[in-house]
Amino acid sequence: MDGTSELKIQDLLDSVTESIQRGENTKLERLQLPPPGTEADELIDIVTELDATLIAVEPSAEFAGQLRSQLLGERSSVMKRVRQMPARVHVAAVLAVIAGFFLLWTRRLSDTTTGQDITDEPIAAPL
Amino acid sequence: MRKLFARRKRYQQLDVQTLVELAKNDKEAFGELYERYLPKMYNYIYYRIGNVHDAEDLTARLFFRALSHIGKYEDRGVPFQAWLYRIAHNLVANWHRDQGRRKIIALDDYVANAQNSEAPDRLAEELEEKQQLLQAVRRLPADRQQLLLLKFIDQLSNAEIGEIMGRTEGAIKSLYHRTLMALRDDLQLQDNAIDGDRLVDSRG
Protein backbone atom coordinates (compact mmCIF):
# COMPACT_ATOMS: atom_id res chain seq x y z
CA MET A 1 0.00 0.00 0.00
CA ASP A 2 1.51 3.38 -1.02
CA GLY A 3 1.52 6.42 1.25
CA THR A 4 -1.34 8.21 -0.48
CA SER A 5 -3.75 5.30 -0.37
CA GLU A 6 -2.82 4.67 3.27
CA LEU A 7 -3.64 8.28 4.12
CA LYS A 8 -6.91 7.96 2.20
CA ILE A 9 -7.88 4.88 4.23
CA GLN A 10 -6.93 6.66 7.45
CA ASP A 11 -9.15 9.62 6.55
CA LEU A 12 -11.99 7.33 5.54
CA LEU A 13 -11.75 5.34 8.80
CA ASP A 14 -11.78 8.57 10.73
CA SER A 15 -14.90 9.88 9.00
CA VAL A 16 -16.69 6.56 9.24
CA THR A 17 -15.86 6.21 12.96
CA GLU A 18 -17.18 9.69 13.65
CA SER A 19 -20.41 9.02 11.74
CA ILE A 20 -21.00 5.65 13.40
CA GLN A 21 -20.43 7.13 16.85
CA ARG A 22 -22.91 9.92 16.19
CA GLY A 23 -25.40 7.56 14.60
CA GLU A 24 -25.36 9.66 11.42
CA ASN A 25 -26.55 7.14 8.86
CA THR A 26 -27.19 9.78 6.23
CA LYS A 27 -23.60 11.03 6.45
CA LEU A 28 -22.40 7.44 6.28
CA GLU A 29 -24.41 6.92 3.11
CA ARG A 30 -22.83 10.00 1.55
CA LEU A 31 -19.32 8.70 2.20
CA GLN A 32 -17.87 6.71 -0.64
CA LEU A 33 -17.66 3.37 1.11
CA PRO A 34 -15.30 0.74 -0.26
CA PRO A 35 -16.66 -2.36 -2.01
CA PRO A 36 -17.23 -5.44 0.18
CA GLY A 37 -14.23 -7.67 0.81
CA THR A 38 -11.64 -4.91 0.54
CA GLU A 39 -9.32 -4.08 3.41
CA ALA A 40 -11.10 -0.80 4.20
CA ASP A 41 -14.46 -2.59 4.25
CA GLU A 42 -13.16 -5.18 6.74
CA LEU A 43 -11.82 -2.42 8.97
CA ILE A 44 -15.13 -0.55 8.87
CA ASP A 45 -16.83 -3.75 10.09
CA ILE A 46 -14.46 -3.76 13.06
CA VAL A 47 -15.21 -0.09 13.78
CA THR A 48 -18.93 -0.93 13.86
CA GLU A 49 -18.30 -3.83 16.23
CA LEU A 50 -16.09 -1.71 18.48
CA ASP A 51 -18.77 0.96 18.65
CA ALA A 52 -21.32 -1.65 19.78
CA THR A 53 -18.94 -3.31 22.24
CA LEU A 54 -17.00 -0.54 23.97
CA ILE A 55 -19.84 1.05 25.92
CA ALA A 56 -19.26 3.39 28.86
CA VAL A 57 -19.92 1.76 32.24
CA GLU A 58 -20.84 3.63 35.44
CA PRO A 59 -19.14 2.98 38.75
CA SER A 60 -21.74 2.12 41.39
CA ALA A 61 -23.11 5.09 43.34
CA GLU A 62 -22.20 3.31 46.59
CA PHE A 63 -18.56 2.92 45.55
CA ALA A 64 -18.33 6.50 44.23
CA GLY A 65 -19.83 7.92 47.44
CA GLN A 66 -17.66 5.85 49.77
CA LEU A 67 -14.48 6.69 47.90
CA ARG A 68 -15.29 10.38 47.91
CA SER A 69 -15.89 10.27 51.67
CA GLN A 70 -12.60 8.45 52.23
CA LEU A 71 -10.65 10.84 50.01
CA LEU A 72 -12.06 13.99 51.53
CA GLY A 73 -12.09 12.64 55.06
CA GLU A 74 -15.82 13.17 55.32
CA ARG A 75 -17.30 11.46 58.34
CA SER A 76 -20.27 9.38 57.52
CA SER A 77 -22.88 8.85 60.21
CA VAL A 78 -23.17 5.49 61.98
CA MET A 79 -26.56 4.83 60.40
CA LYS A 80 -25.20 5.61 56.93
CA ARG A 81 -22.31 3.22 57.48
CA VAL A 82 -24.65 0.52 58.78
CA ARG A 83 -26.88 0.95 55.73
CA GLN A 84 -23.88 0.57 53.43
CA MET A 85 -22.97 -2.81 54.94
CA PRO A 86 -23.75 -5.93 52.91
CA ALA A 87 -27.05 -7.74 53.42
CA ARG A 88 -25.38 -10.78 55.00
CA VAL A 89 -23.98 -8.53 57.76
CA HIS A 90 -27.51 -7.25 58.45
CA VAL A 91 -28.86 -10.81 58.66
CA ALA A 92 -25.99 -11.87 60.96
CA ALA A 93 -26.63 -8.87 63.24
CA VAL A 94 -30.37 -9.62 63.49
CA LEU A 95 -29.66 -13.30 64.25
CA ALA A 96 -27.11 -12.29 66.90
CA VAL A 97 -29.65 -9.99 68.58
CA ILE A 98 -32.35 -12.72 68.52
CA ALA A 99 -29.88 -15.27 69.91
CA GLY A 100 -28.91 -12.80 72.65
CA PHE A 101 -32.52 -12.26 73.69
CA PHE A 102 -33.17 -16.00 73.59
CA LEU A 103 -30.14 -16.64 75.80
CA LEU A 104 -31.27 -14.01 78.30
CA TRP A 105 -34.78 -15.40 78.33
CA THR A 106 -33.66 -19.03 78.89
CA ARG A 107 -31.27 -17.93 81.63
CA ARG A 108 -33.97 -15.97 83.34
CA LEU A 109 -36.34 -18.91 83.04
CA SER A 110 -33.81 -21.29 84.56
CA ASP A 111 -33.10 -18.77 87.36
CA THR A 112 -36.83 -18.58 88.15
CA THR A 113 -37.14 -22.37 88.18
CA THR A 114 -34.12 -22.72 90.46
CA GLY A 115 -35.56 -20.05 92.72
CA GLN A 116 -38.86 -21.91 92.92
CA ASP A 117 -37.02 -25.16 93.68
CA ILE A 118 -35.30 -23.49 96.58
CA THR A 119 -38.49 -22.02 97.98
CA ASP A 120 -40.37 -25.28 97.49
CA GLU A 121 -37.85 -27.21 99.56
CA PRO A 122 -38.97 -27.67 103.16
CA ILE A 123 -36.87 -25.73 105.57
CA ALA A 124 -35.20 -28.04 107.95
CA ALA A 125 -36.18 -27.38 111.52
CA PRO A 126 -33.25 -26.60 113.77
CA LEU A 127 -32.35 -29.40 115.99
CA MET B 1 -23.04 23.81 55.65
CA ARG B 2 -24.46 26.47 53.35
CA LYS B 3 -20.94 27.81 52.84
CA LEU B 4 -19.75 24.36 51.83
CA PHE B 5 -22.51 24.00 49.24
CA ALA B 6 -21.76 27.47 47.87
CA ARG B 7 -18.09 26.56 47.56
CA ARG B 8 -18.92 23.28 45.83
CA LYS B 9 -21.15 25.13 43.38
CA ARG B 10 -18.41 27.66 42.67
CA TYR B 11 -15.91 24.87 42.05
CA GLN B 12 -18.24 23.23 39.55
CA GLN B 13 -17.86 26.28 37.32
CA LEU B 14 -14.07 26.45 37.45
CA ASP B 15 -11.74 25.19 34.74
CA VAL B 16 -9.47 22.22 35.40
CA GLN B 17 -6.21 24.18 35.69
CA THR B 18 -7.62 26.46 38.39
CA LEU B 19 -9.11 23.50 40.22
CA VAL B 20 -5.79 21.67 40.18
CA GLU B 21 -4.04 24.66 41.73
CA LEU B 22 -6.75 24.95 44.39
CA ALA B 23 -6.70 21.20 45.02
CA LYS B 24 -3.11 21.44 46.23
CA ASN B 25 -4.44 22.98 49.46
CA ASP B 26 -8.15 22.35 49.36
CA LYS B 27 -9.73 18.91 49.47
CA GLU B 28 -13.09 20.22 48.23
CA ALA B 29 -11.40 21.29 44.99
CA PHE B 30 -9.92 17.82 44.72
CA GLY B 31 -13.44 16.48 45.29
CA GLU B 32 -14.61 18.37 42.21
CA LEU B 33 -11.75 16.93 40.14
CA TYR B 34 -12.72 13.51 41.45
CA GLU B 35 -16.33 13.99 40.31
CA ARG B 36 -15.19 15.06 36.85
CA TYR B 37 -12.69 12.28 36.21
CA LEU B 38 -14.06 9.30 38.14
CA PRO B 39 -16.18 7.92 35.25
CA LYS B 40 -13.34 8.20 32.71
CA MET B 41 -10.73 6.64 34.96
CA TYR B 42 -13.08 3.89 36.11
CA ASN B 43 -13.92 2.98 32.50
CA TYR B 44 -10.28 2.94 31.49
CA ILE B 45 -9.34 0.63 34.36
CA TYR B 46 -12.46 -1.51 34.04
CA TYR B 47 -11.91 -2.28 30.37
CA ARG B 48 -8.22 -2.97 30.88
CA ILE B 49 -8.75 -5.21 33.91
CA GLY B 50 -12.06 -6.86 33.15
CA ASN B 51 -13.77 -7.12 36.53
CA VAL B 52 -15.62 -4.72 38.80
CA HIS B 53 -13.91 -5.65 42.06
CA ASP B 54 -10.35 -4.97 40.89
CA ALA B 55 -11.48 -1.97 38.86
CA GLU B 56 -12.90 -0.38 42.03
CA ASP B 57 -9.79 -1.24 44.00
CA LEU B 58 -7.44 0.28 41.40
CA THR B 59 -9.66 3.32 40.90
CA ALA B 60 -9.51 3.99 44.65
CA ARG B 61 -5.71 3.61 44.62
CA LEU B 62 -5.46 5.93 41.63
CA PHE B 63 -7.32 8.77 43.38
CA PHE B 64 -5.47 8.29 46.66
CA ARG B 65 -2.18 8.47 44.76
CA ALA B 66 -3.36 11.54 42.85
CA LEU B 67 -4.39 13.19 46.12
CA SER B 68 -1.04 12.55 47.75
CA HIS B 69 0.96 13.72 44.70
CA ILE B 70 -1.12 16.63 43.47
CA GLY B 71 1.03 19.06 45.47
CA LYS B 72 3.96 18.18 43.22
CA TYR B 73 1.94 18.37 40.00
CA GLU B 74 3.26 20.95 37.55
CA ASP B 75 1.35 22.14 34.52
CA ARG B 76 3.66 21.53 31.58
CA GLY B 77 1.05 22.09 28.91
CA VAL B 78 -0.16 18.50 29.13
CA PRO B 79 -3.81 18.04 30.18
CA PHE B 80 -4.37 17.05 33.80
CA GLN B 81 -6.19 13.92 32.66
CA ALA B 82 -3.02 12.77 30.89
CA TRP B 83 -1.38 12.76 34.33
CA LEU B 84 -4.25 10.72 35.76
CA TYR B 85 -4.15 8.30 32.82
CA ARG B 86 -0.42 7.81 33.40
CA ILE B 87 -1.04 6.87 37.05
CA ALA B 88 -3.86 4.55 35.94
CA HIS B 89 -1.63 2.98 33.30
CA ASN B 90 1.09 2.27 35.90
CA LEU B 91 -1.40 0.76 38.33
CA VAL B 92 -2.87 -1.47 35.61
CA ALA B 93 0.63 -2.54 34.50
CA ASN B 94 1.53 -3.43 38.10
CA TRP B 95 -1.74 -5.32 38.46
CA HIS B 96 -0.97 -7.41 35.39
CA ARG B 97 2.55 -8.05 36.67
CA ASP B 98 1.21 -9.11 40.07
CA GLN B 99 -1.25 -11.46 38.43
CA GLY B 100 1.76 -13.13 36.87
CA ARG B 101 -0.03 -13.52 33.63
CA ARG B 102 -2.19 -11.47 31.31
CA LYS B 103 -5.16 -13.68 31.78
CA ILE B 104 -8.23 -12.78 29.87
CA ILE B 105 -11.16 -12.39 32.19
CA ALA B 106 -14.64 -12.05 30.84
CA LEU B 107 -16.09 -8.67 31.65
CA ASP B 108 -18.34 -9.89 34.41
CA ASP B 109 -21.12 -7.37 34.06
CA TYR B 110 -21.04 -7.37 30.32
CA VAL B 111 -23.57 -10.14 29.92
CA ALA B 112 -25.81 -8.63 32.59
CA ASN B 113 -25.74 -5.25 30.91
CA ALA B 114 -26.45 -6.51 27.44
CA GLN B 115 -30.08 -5.92 26.70
CA ASN B 116 -31.51 -7.36 23.59
CA SER B 117 -34.96 -8.45 22.64
CA GLU B 118 -33.80 -10.69 19.82
CA ALA B 119 -33.90 -14.48 19.89
CA PRO B 120 -31.71 -16.06 22.60
CA ASP B 121 -29.54 -17.86 20.04
CA ARG B 122 -28.77 -14.66 18.20
CA LEU B 123 -28.15 -12.88 21.51
CA ALA B 124 -25.73 -15.59 22.66
CA GLU B 125 -23.92 -15.41 19.33
CA GLU B 126 -23.66 -11.63 19.54
CA LEU B 127 -22.33 -11.80 23.09
CA GLU B 128 -19.76 -14.36 22.07
CA GLU B 129 -18.61 -12.09 19.25
CA LYS B 130 -18.36 -9.16 21.64
CA GLN B 131 -16.39 -11.22 24.15
CA GLN B 132 -14.02 -12.28 21.37
CA LEU B 133 -13.53 -8.68 20.33
CA LEU B 134 -12.94 -7.54 23.92
CA GLN B 135 -10.38 -10.28 24.40
CA ALA B 136 -8.64 -9.22 21.19
CA VAL B 137 -8.66 -5.60 22.41
CA ARG B 138 -7.07 -6.67 25.68
CA ARG B 139 -4.31 -8.51 23.81
CA LEU B 140 -3.26 -5.24 22.15
CA PRO B 141 -0.34 -3.21 23.50
CA ALA B 142 -1.33 -0.73 26.24
CA ASP B 143 -1.12 2.39 24.04
CA ARG B 144 -3.45 0.90 21.44
CA GLN B 145 -5.96 -0.11 24.10
CA GLN B 146 -5.84 3.41 25.47
CA LEU B 147 -6.43 4.86 22.02
CA LEU B 148 -9.54 2.71 21.49
CA LEU B 149 -10.93 3.53 24.94
CA LEU B 150 -10.38 7.25 24.46
CA LYS B 151 -12.00 7.09 21.02
CA PHE B 152 -14.99 4.88 21.78
CA ILE B 153 -15.70 5.40 25.46
CA ASP B 154 -14.71 9.05 25.90
CA GLN B 155 -15.46 9.84 22.24
CA LEU B 156 -12.51 12.23 22.01
CA SER B 157 -11.17 13.69 18.77
CA ASN B 158 -7.77 12.71 17.41
CA ALA B 159 -6.36 16.07 18.57
CA GLU B 160 -7.59 15.51 22.15
CA ILE B 161 -6.30 11.94 22.17
CA GLY B 162 -2.98 13.21 20.85
CA GLU B 163 -2.73 15.68 23.75
CA ILE B 164 -3.32 12.94 26.30
CA MET B 165 -1.00 10.41 24.67
CA GLY B 166 1.70 12.93 23.76
CA ARG B 167 1.48 12.34 20.00
CA THR B 168 0.51 14.35 16.97
CA GLU B 169 -2.94 14.13 15.39
CA GLY B 170 -1.43 12.42 12.34
CA ALA B 171 0.33 9.86 14.52
CA ILE B 172 -2.98 9.05 16.25
CA LYS B 173 -4.71 8.55 12.89
CA SER B 174 -1.96 6.22 11.78
CA LEU B 175 -1.96 4.33 15.10
CA TYR B 176 -5.73 3.92 14.83
CA HIS B 177 -5.39 2.41 11.36
CA ARG B 178 -2.69 0.00 12.52
CA THR B 179 -4.73 -0.91 15.60
CA LEU B 180 -7.75 -1.82 13.49
CA MET B 181 -5.56 -3.93 11.20
CA ALA B 182 -4.03 -5.71 14.21
CA LEU B 183 -7.51 -6.42 15.58
CA ARG B 184 -8.69 -7.77 12.22
CA ASP B 185 -5.66 -10.07 11.98
CA ASP B 186 -6.11 -11.28 15.56
CA LEU B 187 -9.82 -12.00 15.04
CA GLN B 188 -9.11 -13.85 11.79
CA LEU B 189 -6.47 -15.92 13.58
CA GLN B 190 -8.95 -16.79 16.33
CA ASP B 191 -11.61 -17.70 13.76
CA ASN B 192 -9.17 -19.94 11.91
CA ALA B 193 -8.19 -21.62 15.17
CA ILE B 194 -11.85 -22.27 16.03
CA ASP B 195 -12.51 -23.62 12.52
CA GLY B 196 -9.45 -25.87 12.82
CA ASP B 197 -10.69 -27.24 16.15
CA ARG B 198 -14.12 -27.95 14.67
CA LEU B 199 -12.50 -29.78 11.73
CA VAL B 200 -10.46 -31.94 14.11
CA ASP B 201 -13.58 -32.68 16.19
CA SER B 202 -15.63 -33.64 13.15
CA ARG B 203 -12.92 -36.06 11.98
CA GLY B 204 -13.00 -37.61 15.42
Side-chain angles (χ1 to χ4, degrees):
Chain A
M1 194 190 302
D2 62 73
T4 323
S5 59
E6 196 173 331
L7 283 177
K8 268 187 187 171
I9 289 186
Q10 286 176 11
D11 286 338
L12 177 71
L13 289 172
D14 231 36
S15 310
V16 169
T17 305
E18 222 173 84
S19 305
I20 289 172
Q21 283 180 331
R22 290 182 187 163
E24 294 172 348
N25 290 332
T26 45
K27 195 183 164 192
L28 206 59
E29 281 162 16
R30 280 205 305 273
L31 288 168
Q32 284 199 324
L33 295 177
T38 55
E39 183 189 300
D41 178 59
E42 287 172 358
L43 298 184
I44 289 171
D45 279 350
I46 290 178
V47 171
T48 314
E49 280 184 51
L50 281 169
D51 183 60
T53 307
L54 295 176
I55 301 159
V57 288
E58 285 276 321
S60 75
E62 189 187 335
F63 163 72
Q66 266 179 358
L67 181 56
R68 189 191 159 99
S69 302
Q70 286 167 2
L71 283 165
L72 308 191
E74 287 167 356
R75 284 190 181 176
S76 55
S77 68
V78 176
M79 281 314 288
K80 199 175 165 187
R81 269 184 279 171
V82 167
R83 256 181 277 140
Q84 282 169 348
M85 283 176 179
R88 62 176 184 276
V89 177
H90 290 166
V91 173
V94 169
L95 287 177
V97 169
I98 292 170
F101 275 117
F102 183 73
L103 202 72
L104 276 174
W105 180 69
T106 47
R107 227 175 137 179
R108 210 167 166 182
L109 202 72
S110 70
D111 281 354
T112 323
T113 322
T114 323
Q116 269 177 356
D117 288 350
I118 292 166
T119 46
D120 288 350
E121 269 179 29
I123 300 162
L127 291 171
Chain B
M1 199 66 169
R2 201 180 289 172
K3 268 186 186 175
L4 183 70
F5 280 122
R7 197 157 50 135
R8 274 188 191 173
K9 205 162 188 182
R10 190 164 61 85
Y11 284 166
Q12 283 168 5
Q13 289 151 1
L14 293 177
D15 63 278
V16 174
Q17 281 177 327
T18 316
L19 271 174
V20 171
E21 283 312 308
L22 287 169
K24 290 178 179 176
N25 300 306
D26 182 351
K27 279 192 169 182
E28 272 305 319
F30 186 84
E32 178 55 28
L33 288 171
Y34 166 78
E35 296 289 343
R36 286 190 198 183
Y37 292 109
L38 173 69
K40 283 183 178 196
M41 295 302 128
Y42 178 80
N43 267 282
Y44 174 76
I45 294 171
Y46 174 72
Y47 272 102
R48 295 222 36 213
I49 297 284
N51 73 82
V52 172
H53 183 262
D54 288 332
E56 287 184 349
D57 181 39
L58 290 194
T59 306
R61 284 200 229 170
L62 157 70
F63 281 101
F64 274 109
R65 199 172 283 187
L67 179 63
S68 63
H69 288 87
I70 200 162
K72 293 175 199 160
Y73 174 83
E74 282 176 41
D75 184 5
R76 292 175 184 152
V78 180
F80 175 68
Q81 59 176 326
W83 185 69
L84 289 178
Y85 273 117
R86 205 165 57 237
I87 301 175
H89 167 81
N90 291 339
L91 286 168
V92 169
N94 288 345
W95 183 87
H96 280 298
R97 199 195 54 211
D98 293 346
Q99 296 292 305
R101 61 202 182 279
R102 287 194 65 178
K103 73 173 178 185
I104 305 297
I105 308 161
L107 289 170
D108 46 15
D109 288 345
Y110 205 84
V111 176
N113 288 336
Q115 287 181 346
N116 203 318
S117 58
E118 286 179 45
D121 286 355
R122 179 75 201 114
L123 178 63
E125 201 181 305
E126 261 182 27
L127 280 173
E128 199 184 328
E129 280 171 13
K130 284 180 178 178
Q131 288 286 359
Q132 266 184 6
L133 181 63
L134 282 171
Q135 288 174 358
V137 168
R138 294 188 59 233
R139 280 192 290 268
L140 290 169
D143 60 339
R144 292 183 181 195
Q145 287 187 49
Q146 186 176 20
L147 165 63
L148 291 180
L149 295 177
L150 292 174
K151 212 175 225 327
F152 287 92
I153 305 275
D154 293 346
Q155 307 217 332
L156 299 181
S157 67
N158 286 335
E160 290 168 315
I161 296 171
E163 270 197 323
I164 291 170
M165 294 179 66
R167 294 176 192 223
T168 62
E169 207 177 329
I172 294 296
K173 256 189 188 181
S174 167
L175 184 67
Y176 180 50
H177 182 202
R178 280 182 279 133
T179 302
L180 293 176
M181 287 199 290
L183 271 179
R184 181 202 54 191
D185 295 345
D186 188 331
L187 290 170
Q188 275 174 359
L189 211 67
Q190 299 304 316
D191 276 351
N192 291 344
I194 291 168
D195 289 345
D197 287 348
R198 280 183 189 151
L199 199 66
V200 170
D201 287 346
S202 67
R203 281 177 184 170

